[in-house]
Every structure is written in C-alpha cells, then in structure tokens.
Amino acid sequence: MNLLGEIDRTDMQSMVDAFPEMLQITTLTQEFRQSIQLAKKDNIEGICLLGMGGSAISGLLTKGVIHSDVPIISVRNYSIPKFVKQSWIIIAVSYSGNTEETLLSLREAKKKGSTCFAITSGGKMRTEVPSNRTHVLPKGFQPRAALPLIFSAVFPTIELLLGKEHIDLKLIAAQLKKTQKQWGTEIRKPEDFAQFLVGKIPIFTGWSHLFPVAYRAKCQINENAKAAAFYSELPEVNHNEIESVLTFTEKKLVPIFLRSVHETRRISQRFDITHDIYKDYGCEPVSIKLRSQSKLEETLAITHYLDRVSVNLANIIGVDPINVDRIQILKKRLASDNETI
Ligand code: PA5
C-alpha cells in the first residue's frame, strides 16, 4: 500500500487524519545514519535545532520528551547564540528549504565549522549540506501538516546522536490509533470541541513536555482556523497569568489545560487549584487528558487531537485551513527586496 499516495495534500483534514500513518512513512537512510555515527565520534557539546514555524515544532516536541545531559536548544531566528561552537551538532529543518532565517543561521553554523544536518523537502537547503547529511522529505504538504513526517526524522536523529534506546515510531503510531478511540468518550469529539471554541479565544496551558504541545495548538488555531489563540506554561502561569482571570470572561478567553498522566503531585495540585480559582472568578477552564503509556505517546496524541480540532474549527467558521495568504504575502514582500538569500 502506498500510504503517501493515498493522502490528499489539498485537504487539511485528510492530512491530519493520516497523522499516525505519516509517522511511519519514511525512515532515515543508511547513509544518513552513518553520518550521525561519524558525528558522534567527537564529543558533542550540544544540539542546536534551527527552523521556523511548522518546521520548528518537531524539534520542540522532541526536546520535551528526550532527557539528556547534552543541552538541546531550538533557534527560531537569523543567527545562532555565541555559545554554539564547532563541537555542537546543528539540525536545520525547513520544509520548503527556502526559509531565510533558517538558511542564514545554518550558514553561520557552517562558518563556525559545526557538523550540520538538514531535513527538508527541497529548495535552497538541498545544496547547503552534503547529501549524506540531508534527509529528504516527501514534497507537497503544508509544513505544519508535515509534522509527523518531520518528527519521524528529527526524533530518531536526536535519539541516535545521544545514543538513546531506539523507540519504534510504528508502535507509537499504532498506540495513537488506539488513543483516538478516546475521542468522544473520555474527551469531546474534535468537532464538538471546535464548536465549543467558536467565538472564544483559547489559552492552551501545558506543563513540561505538554508545553510545546500548547504552543503547537496555538499555532494550528492561528494558521488553520485563522483565529486568535495563546499558550502558556504551568507553573509559570501561577506567578502572573492567574492575576488576569478577571478579564478572561469579559474577553471570551478560555483556558485549556493540557493535563498529563505523568504530572508530579505538586503540578496536579497547581492545575487543580488554578482551575478552582478561575471558577471562583466565573471562568470555566477546560481540561484535556488522554490515557497514554509514555510522554512521547501523550505528546503526539494530544497534538493529533488538537490539530484535528483546529481543522474542525476552520470548517465551522468557514475558512480555508490550507491557505496561509498573509504568511505568503509577507514572504513575497520580503523577497522583493534586493537582498538575496
Ligand atoms: O506552517 C507554515 O506554513 C509556516 O509556519 C512555515 O512552517 C514557516 O513559515 C517556515 O517555512 P518552512 O517550514 O518551509 O521552513
């Protein structure tokens, strides 16, 4: 069966529904894996991920679930921090391969002599890094819809670089399918949750590995449903955002707590008490929790669910979840400037 061929790349819902399948379509080539083994021979001081928007998310999600003595940072900018030196490994991710911030920060890393890997479907990035250190993604997807494809390259790359025990993403994909059965039982169906969000502004709040999931959800509501959304992190919200609860109801803000089965007792208490205080002020926070066996599975399961909610919201509001006209206009206007990247 040709899974890739079966996914309709003009239909966001079809791509989101294929999330578990897309997680297992491509694997790292032998050549790419060998390059990672070679890079590992030198002492790795850190891993620096480069990428913007939809291409940055996989790195952020990976960072959330991989525990390592080696620092992993994510750069979403034109340049890399000074402390990133030759002994750091660079993983540049750009679905289109033409994102200027990613290309420029990659070139800076190359100048410093760092070992660079690229994950892209084409564009200028294809020629920036030798082919044995480039993982080529299938073309034709929106970058944000390609998340499972990008993740299935970023996650094993970092796993290998750090010498971590291999996690088979096929097994995770199978689990995601099972977790999906909780939609409509343990949590609302995505379409019902989307209906609930109409006319409201969600603030997704996550702790630890679910913080990047909160950020992803915010981006998906922005890009797919063309609607405002925010994200925040617990315990930090307990030191500032909690004071703004009085305005939540007035401004139609609705806190969405991404709850984890892996929460520490203290974090659970913080979520519960925050929930109660919000309720005392007339605001009704919503909690999302899915039964899952690992932090990785939980991360991807909640991401998949909220991706689907964002597409359902787009459909209800009547906007096209595929087009990102304003992002394109901005990129075109910048490109019309003389500076060539
Ligand atoms: O989702 C999107 O389309 C954007 O957030 C892009 O991912 C972002 O503009 C960067 O482009 P690329 O992913 O091609 O590097």
Side-chain angles (χ1 to χ4, degrees):
M1 183 170 61
N2 177 7
L3 284 172
L4 254 185
E6 283 174 17
I7 304 167
D8 181 356
R9 293 167 214 198
T10 62
D11 176 18
M12 189 57 88
Q13 186 160 323
S14 155
M15 291 187 275
V16 169
D17 286 346
F19 191 116
E21 286 76 17
M22 283 167 70
L23 208 51
Q24 37 186 327
I25 286 175
T26 62
T27 47
L28 303 179
T29 62
Q30 197 51 34
E31 225 190 350
F32 190 87
R33 297 171 72 86
Q34 274 166 3
S35 303
I36 297 175
Q37 297 298 355
L38 209 66
K40 262 175 65 178
K41 289 208 172 120
D42 302 320
N43 187 29
I44 301 176
E45 267 187 41
I47 298 174
C48 175
L49 292 146
L50 312 175
M52 304 301 297
S55 288
I57 307 282
S58 294
L60 295 171
L61 297 182
T62 300
K63 234 165 77 67
V65 290
I66 287 204
H67 296 286
S68 137
D69 295 341
V70 174
I72 306 173
I73 64 162
S74 167
V75 170
R76 287 175 281 164
N77 210 333
Y78 283 93
S79 66
I80 54 175
K82 269 201 153 169
F83 58 79
V84 174
K85 301 236 163 73
Q86 203 180 355
S87 46
W88 280 63
I89 299 289
I90 308 296
I91 307 171
V93 186
S94 170
Y95 185 75
S96 64
N98 290 324
T99 298
E100 63 178 38
E101 297 95 317
T102 316
L103 286 170
L104 290 175
S105 51
L106 170 61
R107 286 177 196 157
E108 194 186 326
K110 277 165 58 182
K111 264 195 203 144
K112 284 191 178 185
S114 308
T115 305
C116 301
F117 291 86
I119 296 172
T120 184
S121 74
K124 293 180 181 153
M125 196 172 271
R126 275 300 291 273
T127 53
E128 289 287 336
V129 171
S131 61
N132 59 334
R133 279 192 262 119
T134 302
H135 175 85
V136 183
L137 298 162
K139 281 186 191 292
F141 290 88
Q142 284 290 317
R144 60 193 178 284
L147 178 130
L149 292 172
I150 301 175
F151 188 88
S152 68
V154 171
F155 184 79
T157 299
I158 296 184
E159 210 180 34
L160 266 176
L161 281 167
L162 297 175
K164 294 271 173 196
E165 201 181 318
H166 174 62
I167 297 176
D168 189 348
L169 291 181
K170 282 199 178 77
L171 299 179
I172 299 289
Q175 273 308 124
L176 289 186
K177 289 237 164 220
K178 285 191 192 152
T179 314
Q180 217 172 314
K181 296 200 177 104
Q182 296 173 47
W183 299 4
T185 54
E186 258 127 280
I187 52 172
R188 278 182 253 208
K189 282 186 190 156
E191 47 272 39
D192 295 342
F193 193 53
Q195 187 62 56
F196 163 79
L197 288 181
V198 174
K200 301 189 181 82
I201 301 174
I203 313 177
F204 297 98
T205 304
W207 162 76
S208 177
H209 58 295
L210 296 187
F211 176 50
V213 177
Y215 171 63
R216 160 73 170 181
K218 170 246 182 255
C219 297
Q220 289 289 77
I221 298 284
N222 294 159
E223 291 186 67
N224 290 340
K226 327 297 180 225
F230 297 94
Y231 71 107
S232 61
E233 184 174 22
L234 196 115
E236 181 62 17
V237 292
N238 288 165
H239 302 273
N240 33 65
E241 197 169 279
I242 194 167
E243 281 301 330
S244 65
V245 64
L246 282 167
T247 60
F248 284 9
T249 318
E250 186 192 322
K251 307 283 183 207
K252 294 199 166 37
L253 289 161
V254 52
I256 316 280
F257 294 157
L258 309 187
R259 302 293 306 258
S260 169
V261 293
H262 305 280
E263 281 164 17
T264 61
R265 196 174 136 264
R266 207 66 180 145
I267 290 297
S268 293
Q269 284 176 331
R270 280 186 180 274
F271 266 120
D272 293 344
I273 297 170
T274 308
H275 178 276
D276 292 347
I277 293 175
Y278 284 4
K279 273 194 88 168
D280 291 345
Y281 283 89
C283 158
E284 286 285 347
V286 175
S287 291
I288 292 177
K289 193 173 190 175
L290 288 168
R291 268 179 295 109
S292 49
Q293 289 169 1
S294 65
K295 286 186 177 177
L296 173 60
E297 188 195 319
E298 187 173 60
T299 292
L300 295 174
I302 300 183
T303 301
H304 183 204
Y305 174 75
L306 291 172
D307 276 10
R308 181 59 138 68
V309 169
S310 71
V311 180
N312 287 124
L313 182 60
N315 294 339
I316 297 170
I317 298 173
V319 295
D320 177 3
I322 292 271
N323 286 344
V324 277
D325 293 341
R326 284 152 287 257
I327 295 178
Q328 298 309 337
I329 291 169
L330 183 126
K331 285 184 179 178
K332 270 195 196 121
R333 286 192 194 168
L334 281 169
S336 66
D337 187 57
N338 282 337
E339 201 181 331
T340 45
I341 307 294

